[in-house]
Amino acid sequence: MSRVLALVSREIRSQIYQPVAWIVWTLFLLLAGWFFFSLVYQFIVVVDNASAYAEMMQNKEMLDRLNLNELVVNGLFGNILLLFVFFVPVLTMRAFAEERKQGTDELLLTAPVSAGEVVLGKYLGLLAISGALVLGAVFYVGVLLHYGDPEKGPIATGVLGLTLAAAAMTALGFAVSTLTKSQVVAAVGSFVLFLLLFVVDWPAESTEGVVRTTLKALSLPGHFQGFAKGAVSSVDVAYFVSLAALGLFVARTTIASQRWRTP
C-alpha cells in the first residue's frame, strides 16, 4: 500500500508542478461559471415573464410550475459533463505518454512494484486531479444552494453522476495514454473516444431491435441523465464502473506487456 501511495503522491506532484493542470482548472471554472450564470440569468428572465403573465391572468399558481432544478441545475450538470470531454483528455494525456517520452518509464517498470500497483497509483493520482473539476461544479451548486432553494436530492445524485463519469473518463484517458509516447496523440485519442461515447446513440432513433438497444446502452449522456434528475440506477452505476474497469484493464495490460519487453 505504501508503494501505491508513493505513486499517487508522485503522480499528483507531476501534475500540479506543470502549468497544464492549472490552465485546465482555470478554464474549466471560467466556462462552468459562464454556463452557470447564463442559466441563472435565463431562469430570472423566465420568472419575470411568468410573474407578469400570472399577474395578468390573476393565477399565481402558475409560478409553482417553475422548477429551479429543471431550469438551472440539470442544464449546469449537462454542460459540465460536456466540458469533461474536452478537459479530461488534457489532464490524462501526460499520465504515461510523458513517462515514455522522458524515458522514465523504464525506471518505473524496473522498480519493485507490480503493473497493477503502477496502474492503481497513477490512476488514483489522476483521479485526484480530475476530481478537482467535480469540485468546481460543487462550488457553483453551492452558490445556488446559498442564494436559492433547489431540491437537494437531485443535486446530490447529479454530483455522484459527475464523479462516476469523471472516474470512468479518467481511466479511459489513462488507458489511451499508455498506448503512445505522444501527449498530443493521447489527448486527441481520448477526445475522439469520449466524443464517440457522446454521439453513439444519435442514429438510434432510426434503427430498431438489438442495434437500437446497443447504441443506447453505450451512450454516456444517456446513463448520466438519471443522476441529474435525482434517480440512481444500478444499470447506470454499472455502466460507469465498467468503463473505468475497462480503462484500467487496458492500462494494466499495456504496461505489463511493456515490462516484459524492458530488458
Side-chain angles (χ1 to χ4, degrees):
M1 182 56 73
S2 61
R3 289 177 294 194
V4 173
L5 292 177
L7 286 168
V8 172
S9 176
R10 177 178 181 270
E11 185 63 30
I12 292 175
R13 288 199 309 272
S14 71
Q15 292 281 347
I16 64 176
Y17 287 164
Q18 297 293 327
V20 175
W22 295 98
I23 292 172
V24 167
W25 290 338
T26 302
L27 291 177
F28 176 83
L29 283 175
L30 289 174
L31 288 173
W34 170 259
F35 287 133
F36 173 71
F37 289 110
S38 296
L39 289 166
V40 170
Y41 176 75
Q42 291 173 18
F43 179 76
I44 293 172
V45 171
V46 169
V47 170
D48 288 343
N49 292 337
S51 298
Y53 186 72
E55 186 175 352
M56 183 178 68
M57 299 298 293
Q58 296 184 344
N59 183 9
K60 294 186 177 181
E61 292 180 355
M62 294 176 61
L63 296 176
D64 295 336
R65 300 173 187 172
L66 300 178
N67 189 301
L68 187 60
N69 286 75
E70 291 180 0
L71 297 177
V72 177
V73 178
N74 287 359
L76 178 65
F77 284 155
N79 289 328
I80 285 176
L81 185 66
L82 181 61
L83 290 179
F84 283 179
V85 174
F86 297 92
F87 288 122
V88 172
V90 181
L91 291 176
T92 59
M93 67 181 183
R94 299 182 70 253
F96 210 78
E98 181 67 9
E99 301 273 9
R100 283 185 169 180
K101 182 180 178 182
Q102 299 294 336
T104 54
D105 59 326
E106 293 188 5
L107 294 175
L108 195 60
L109 295 173
T110 54
V113 291
S114 67
E117 289 175 325
V118 172
V119 169
L120 182 60
K122 292 186 79 65
Y123 173 66
L124 291 178
L126 284 171
L127 198 57
I129 300 299
S130 59
L133 302 182
V134 180
L135 291 179
V138 171
F139 167 75
Y140 290 111
V141 171
V143 173
L144 196 64
L145 285 168
H146 183 73
Y147 292 102
D149 187 27
E151 298 176 38
K152 296 180 178 59
I155 289 178
T157 57
V159 172
L160 173 63
L162 286 178
T163 303
L164 289 173
M169 296 168 81
T170 299
L172 292 174
F174 176 35
V176 174
S177 180
T178 62
L179 299 173
T180 177
K181 62 179 179 181
S182 168
Q183 294 184 37
V184 175
V185 172
V188 173
S190 299
F191 172 73
V192 171
L193 176 60
F194 298 162
L195 196 59
L196 282 174
L197 290 174
F198 258 70
V199 303
V200 68
D201 66 333
W202 284 10
E205 296 303 325
S206 59
T207 60
E208 57 184 13
V210 177
V211 175
R212 180 176 182 175
T213 303
T214 302
L215 292 177
K216 285 186 173 294
L218 292 173
S219 171
L220 195 152
H223 287 282
F224 178 76
Q225 290 174 356
F227 289 101
K229 295 178 181 177
V232 178
S233 164
S234 58
V235 174
D236 295 334
V237 173
Y239 171 80
F240 288 112
V241 172
S242 299
L243 285 184
L246 175 63
L248 296 180
F249 173 76
V250 172
R252 186 190 181 284
T253 302
T254 305
I255 292 175
S257 65
Q258 188 177 350
R259 167 168 278 180
W260 279 105
R261 295 195 299 269
T262 302

